[in-house]
Amino acid sequence: MQAALAELLARAAPAATPVALGLLELQADRQFHRIPQAERQPLVDDALASGEQAARAVRAAHGTDDPQVLARRLGVRVEVVAGEGGFGSVLVLADYVKRPPCIRLYAPAIDALDRRLEAYPDRDRLAAGTRAIFLAHELFHHVEGQQPSHALAARHRMALFALGPLKLTVGLASLAEIAAGAFAQHLLSLRYHPKLLDVVALFARDPDAARQLVDRLCAIGSYIQEEPCPPSIAARS
């Protein structure tokens, strides 16, 4: 099982740039089909830049890149939950509650993920596991929420319905997820956007779905003319 996951991660790594992983996240947005193709990568670029800028700003303002310390200074309570946060086939590792500000880290899911990191390409930078990544990710949502009018979902909206001057629009929720991953990546000096962890988390529950996820990542990488993935073992045999 570990060898198969290692082979899959080795195949994914060449294509796993922040832009490609961001586009992979964008594809999962419910409004993806409404986004003109020419606007997709610029949206991802904006989200990645927003996350990086926010990481630089909080580091400069508070003099630390420790997510636990930042949470305390930002007035966000951190709760480690012993139970599961997901439901059915949905896996939840962490979430953010606005009022009062609280980040919940779901220990069983995170610990299970940490046990499968042997072949993860950022393993050497995760000696204490992935909790800091998920804490940093959720901290971005708190930081972004302090200025809701400047939030990515407020700045980038898709039209659902228009009748004359009346227009119903909806924000792109995936942009904040892309930015939160970039925030964590830059705050913690990771080589890879944490979206890549989805491969590890998914492989434990559904190896075929994890392979399909990597196939989509490789297709994106080839499309945007980044280094393509090597073929899978099955394809080479």
Side-chain angles (χ1 to χ4, degrees):
M1 196 70 139
Q2 282 287 355
L5 176 58
E7 190 270 336
L8 191 61
L9 287 168
R11 180 169 178 254
T17 64
V19 171
L21 289 164
L23 285 166
L24 186 66
E25 182 73 50
L26 188 68
Q27 283 185 351
D29 196 292
R30 290 184 178 182
Q31 308 305 326
F32 179 74
H33 64 286
R34 301 181 189 277
I35 308 171
Q37 185 170 337
E39 296 179 15
R40 293 169 183 173
Q41 187 167 333
L43 284 170
V44 169
D45 290 340
D46 188 28
L48 292 170
S50 294
E52 180 177 356
Q53 289 164 8
R56 294 181 188 279
V58 297
R59 183 188 290 120
H62 298 282
T64 181
D65 53 13
D66 185 328
Q68 194 76 41
V69 175
L70 287 170
R72 186 167 59 250
R73 293 182 181 175
L74 291 168
V76 180
R77 184 167 64 90
V78 178
E79 178 183 352
V80 178
V81 181
E84 300 288 348
F87 52 92
S89 61
V90 177
L91 177 68
V92 177
L93 295 118
D95 56 25
Y96 169 66
V97 178
K98 290 183 180 180
R99 296 186 182 86
C102 176
I103 292 171
R104 296 178 297 200
L105 303 172
Y106 295 95
I110 293 175
D111 292 346
L113 179 65
D114 288 349
R115 290 192 292 271
R116 300 183 181 97
L117 294 179
E118 183 177 340
Y120 189 68
D122 260 338
R123 181 68 184 91
D124 58 318
R125 304 192 181 193
L126 298 172
T130 58
R131 285 194 188 190
I133 292 178
F134 297 111
L135 178 52
H137 180 109
E138 300 303 331
L139 272 177
F140 173 81
H141 294 308
H142 175 75
V143 171
E144 188 185 45
Q146 303 311 295
Q147 293 184 300
S149 64
H150 296 288
L152 285 156
R155 291 190 280 119
H156 300 292
R157 302 184 67 81
M158 294 292 110
L160 295 178
F161 173 80
L163 181 61
L166 301 176
K167 183 182 291 187
L168 178 63
T169 64
V170 64
L172 297 170
S174 60
L175 296 182
E177 297 305 309
I178 296 166
F183 179 88
Q185 179 183 1
H186 288 281
L187 193 69
L188 301 173
S189 299
L190 302 175
R191 287 183 291 266
Y192 291 87
H193 188 286
K195 175 68 177 174
L196 186 59
L197 284 168
D198 283 9
V199 175
V200 182
L202 187 56
F203 188 87
R205 295 178 294 136
D206 190 339
D208 287 337
R211 293 185 186 99
Q212 291 169 11
L213 185 69
V214 171
D215 286 344
R216 294 202 300 274
L217 174 63
C218 290
I220 292 169
S222 296
Y223 176 75
I224 60 178
Q225 298 183 339
E226 305 208 20
E227 185 176 357
C229 300
S232 65
I233 289 178
R236 294 196 299 267
S237 61

